[in-house]
Amino acid sequence: MRILFDKDEVRRICEEKRCAGFRIGFVPTMGALHEGHLSLVRRAAAQSGFVVVSIFVNPTQFGPGEDLNKYPRDLEGDSRLLESVGADIVYAPDKASVYPSGYATYVTVERLIEGLCGLSRPGHFRGVATIVAKLFNTVRPHVAVFGQKDAQQAAVIKRMVRDLDLDIAIDVGPIVREPDGLAMSSRNRYLDSEERSEAAILSRALREAETMVSSGVTDAHKIKAGVQEMINSMPLACIEYVEIVDREELFNVSDVSGGALLALAVRFGGTRLIDNTVLLPGKG
Amino acid sequence: MRILFDKDEVRRICEEKRCAGFRIGFVPTMGALHEGHLSLVRRAAAQSGFVVVSIFVNPTQFGPGEDLNKYPRDLEGDSRLLESVGADIVYAPDKASVYPSGYATYVTVERLIEGLCGLSRPGHFRGVATIVAKLFNTVRPHVAVFGQKDAQQAAVIKRMVRDLDLDIAIDVGPIVREPDGLAMSSRNRYLDSEERSEAAILSRALREAETMVSSGVTDAHKIKAGVQEMINSMPLACIEYVEIVDREELFNVSDVSGGALLALAVRFGGTRLIDNTVLLPGKG
């Protein structure tokens, strides 16, 4: 495995591999890797012959007051983990090479970015779509793997790839959870022990919603109310949103009979956590 | 030469040529081809072994009330011309395949789109950057050729290519003019004989500005005033703008000592014409 910092070198190697007939898999990350990321790299490795993982803490997807500066960085530790799961290249560009002086171009995906996390994080998905487009143009993967944990991000990237005629398959890997159900996240380490303990309510509330749907409830309002009530039973939890939306287009739905995404964002102290599940009647 | 309508077929052929070692040249057009376009295709052919020309009247770069519907279309005639100058593929997608239902993604280049044509054509350069990004992603050229006639467009595309890490050289071909100096344009055919005759003032005014600069004038205000006065001597001319700007970043400059772009847009009746020249002291 090689750790590369130079865009042109990554591009040249990937182009050689592509023309030599290798299928190229790609997983973009911000580092601070956990088992969730590693599961995505394993998925990429299972679907391709050459795996590139990028590590770049992308400033344009952080809002003012968000955790850009304290976001954990550990290239050495991350690289060891990536080697163990079959990455061939770690691409870790520096900020100045990604956003040189005079930078002016942004990719926006309308509509899908309006609700959910887009409401409290204006500009976030513009930053995400732009950096992912840039990384795609450097690596030119056949397949790129994203996590279902960031469901809105996955929907935005799928839409972008289709719309911009990028010839890239987008594969979405399932959420990986801690033993108590908490979705793995680089931000979980910000939680103190009390917050950490309460945060397990999120996945329990999602499981409860699945159970309601399995037992025949399809009214989105009722399902959301049940989820909100469970979360609000935790003294430190502060709900940002609990929404039930179309799985691809992310507009609000009032009934989950055709399947839907239940997504939530909840703050525990200064830490904002997201989680979600797909509700499929007849699934249970 | 082949005329293709299907994105995936164009992509497949270009990828094969690329991996076989061909250098791919690309000229995006809206059809209604004239000698200006053909000069760009010849430039592409001189720099590459496989030349793709797209013909697509892109609706997202037309504003309300602009000439989208009357814009001239003649695929057969255009194709004959393109074959004569060495095109290998004409790619002529239809609107529904370029902007399918649910389309939501746009590429914006900030700053450079604020002045000049961006003022009277809001959304125009977003439409241009987006369609060009899409075509680039399909063709994946090594070099793409644009005309200096659309100087702001060329600057926007150069910025986009650099910013989005597209590995494409942008080559800009000089303005091709009619015998009386009028810059060739698909829209010249909208002019009636009186307007057509008066429109020659634009290039004469640009030449006069070059002469002023050659004789030592560097004050942008003075040069613009001279140009405006000449154009205003024509009864049918209605100036939209005459500006002197930085050649790459397009911000207004007050002195042309370091070189500058003199650009103008003028209406004759219902027809909007643009033209420009690069002012280089010591050039004459």
Side-chain angles (χ1 to χ4, degrees):
Chain A
M1 191 188 76
R2 296 174 68 186
I3 303 173
L4 300 174
F5 304 93
D6 181 60
K7 168 174 14 191
D8 295 323
E9 193 172 2
V10 173
R11 187 199 305 285
R12 185 184 52 73
I13 293 172
C14 290
E15 177 84 356
E16 277 175 22
K17 289 288 176 187
R18 169 175 270 267
C19 286
F22 281 83
R23 187 171 163 85
I24 298 172
F26 177 52
V27 183
T29 82
M30 299 209 301
L33 302 181
H34 50 66
E35 187 53 34
H37 299 103
L38 301 184
S39 73
L40 305 182
V41 179
R42 285 190 204 97
R43 284 180 80 93
Q47 296 173 69
S48 60
F50 192 75
V51 177
V52 182
V53 179
S54 64
I55 295 180
F56 179 63
V57 182
N58 177 36
T60 68
Q61 71 191 69
F62 288 79
E66 290 186 358
D67 57 344
L68 172 62
N69 291 324
K70 75 165 177 174
Y71 200 87
R73 289 160 170 88
D74 175 16
L75 179 59
E76 210 179 305
D78 287 341
S79 298
R80 271 195 304 272
L81 291 171
L82 291 173
E83 183 148 34
S84 75
V85 289
D88 295 290
I89 284 183
V90 175
Y91 172 41
D94 71 4
K95 204 174 88 177
S97 74
V98 176
Y99 300 111
S101 163
Y103 189 91
T105 305
Y106 295 93
V107 178
T108 52
V109 178
E110 300 184 341
R111 224 167 53 231
L112 281 72
I113 61 157
E114 285 165 14
L116 308 181
C117 294
L119 270 178
S120 68
R121 306 187 75 188
H124 170 69
F125 288 109
R126 186 182 84 145
V128 169
T130 302
I131 187 66
V132 171
K134 283 166 63 72
L135 293 167
F136 281 176
N137 289 337
T138 299
V139 174
R140 283 246 299 142
H142 295 85
V143 57
V145 187
F146 291 81
Q148 174 63 20
K149 163 92 169 348
D150 298 294
Q152 189 172 15
Q153 170 177 280
V156 165
I157 298 300
K158 279 183 183 175
R159 185 80 248 172
M160 176 186 82
V161 162
R162 230 174 319 171
D163 285 352
L164 293 187
D165 301 321
L166 290 160
D167 187 30
I168 302 170
I170 301 301
D171 178 58
V172 179
I175 299 175
V176 179
R177 298 182 178 280
E178 301 288 353
D180 68 349
L182 179 65
M184 290 202 183
S185 165
S186 307
R187 289 177 168 116
N188 289 349
R189 66 185 74 180
Y190 301 155
L191 299 166
D192 69 24
S193 65
E194 203 175 349
E195 293 162 351
R196 173 64 190 80
S197 162
E198 288 197 7
I201 192 67
L202 303 184
S203 65
R204 288 208 302 276
L206 295 177
R207 294 301 82 74
E208 175 60 23
E210 290 165 3
T211 304
M212 288 174 77
V213 172
S214 297
S215 69
V217 180
T218 63
D219 178 56
H221 184 74
K222 209 165 173 177
I223 299 165
K224 284 195 284 187
V227 169
Q228 284 164 336
E229 195 185 331
M230 281 183 72
I231 296 172
N232 283 331
S233 73
M234 291 296 157
L236 299 175
C238 175
I239 294 178
E240 185 182 299
Y241 66 79
V242 174
E243 295 291 355
I244 297 183
V245 298
D246 179 80
R247 280 173 290 170
E248 288 194 356
E249 288 293 323
L250 308 183
F251 53 81
N252 284 287
V253 298
S254 56
D255 186 282
V256 307
S257 300
L261 176 75
L262 165 56
L264 54 81
V266 176
R267 290 179 194 278
F268 289 87
T271 305
R272 182 178 179 278
L273 302 179
I274 59 174
D275 202 347
N276 68 82
T277 189
V278 172
L279 299 176
L280 287 175
K283 181 187 171 188
Chain B
M1 191 188 75
R2 296 175 66 185
I3 303 173
L4 300 174
F5 304 94
D6 181 60
K7 170 175 9 192
D8 295 324
E9 193 173 2
V10 172
R11 188 199 304 286
R12 186 184 52 73
I13 294 172
C14 289
E15 177 83 356
E16 277 175 22
K17 289 289 175 185
R18 169 175 270 266
C19 286
F22 281 82
R23 188 170 163 84
I24 297 171
F26 177 52
V27 183
T29 80
M30 297 209 301
L33 303 181
H34 51 66
E35 187 53 35
H37 299 104
L38 301 184
S39 74
L40 304 181
V41 179
R42 286 190 204 97
R43 284 178 81 93
Q47 295 173 71
S48 60
F50 192 74
V51 177
V52 181
V53 179
S54 64
I55 295 181
F56 179 64
V57 182
N58 177 37
T60 68
Q61 72 192 68
F62 287 79
E66 289 186 359
D67 57 344
L68 172 61
N69 290 324
K70 74 166 178 172
Y71 200 86
R73 288 157 170 91
D74 175 16
L75 179 58
E76 210 179 303
D78 287 343
S79 298
R80 273 195 302 272
L81 290 171
L82 290 173
E83 184 149 34
S84 75
V85 290
D88 295 290
I89 284 183
V90 175
Y91 172 40
D94 70 5
K95 203 174 90 178
S97 74
V98 176
Y99 299 110
S101 164
Y103 190 92
T105 306
Y106 295 93
V107 178
T108 51
V109 179
E110 300 184 341
R111 225 167 54 230
L112 280 71
I113 61 156
E114 284 164 14
L116 307 182
C117 294
L119 271 177
S120 67
R121 306 189 74 188
H124 170 68
F125 289 109
R126 187 182 84 145
V128 169
T130 301
I131 187 65
V132 171
K134 284 166 64 70
L135 293 167
F136 281 176
N137 288 337
T138 299
V139 175
R140 283 245 301 142
H142 295 86
V143 57
V145 187
F146 291 82
Q148 173 64 20
K149 162 93 171 343
D150 297 294
Q152 189 172 14
Q153 169 177 280
V156 164
I157 298 299
K158 279 184 183 174
R159 184 81 248 171
M160 176 186 82
V161 163
R162 229 175 319 170
D163 286 352
L164 293 187
D165 301 322
L166 290 160
D167 188 30
I168 301 171
I170 301 300
D171 178 57
V172 179
I175 299 175
V176 179
R177 298 181 178 280
E178 302 287 354
D180 69 348
L182 179 66
M184 289 200 183
S185 165
S186 307
R187 289 178 169 117
N188 289 349
R189 67 185 75 179
Y190 301 155
L191 299 166
D192 70 23
S193 65
E194 203 174 351
E195 291 162 352
R196 173 66 190 79
S197 162
E198 287 197 8
I201 193 67
L202 303 183
S203 66
R204 288 207 303 274
L206 295 177
R207 294 301 83 73
E208 175 60 22
E210 289 166 3
T211 304
M212 288 174 77
V213 172
S214 296
S215 69
V217 180
T218 62
D219 178 58
H221 184 73
K222 207 165 175 178
I223 299 166
K224 284 195 282 188
V227 169
Q228 284 163 335
E229 195 186 331
M230 280 182 73
I231 296 172
N232 282 331
S233 73
M234 292 294 157
L236 300 175
C238 175
I239 294 177
E240 185 182 301
Y241 67 78
V242 174
E243 295 290 356
I244 297 183
V245 299
D246 179 79
R247 280 171 291 170
E248 289 195 355
E249 289 291 323
L250 308 183
F251 53 80
N252 285 286
V253 298
S254 57
D255 186 284
V256 306
S257 300
L261 176 75
L262 165 57
L264 54 80
V266 176
R267 292 180 193 276
F268 290 87
T271 305
R272 181 178 178 279
L273 301 178
I274 59 174
D275 202 347
N276 68 82
T277 189
V278 172
L279 299 175
L280 286 175
K283 182 187 172 190

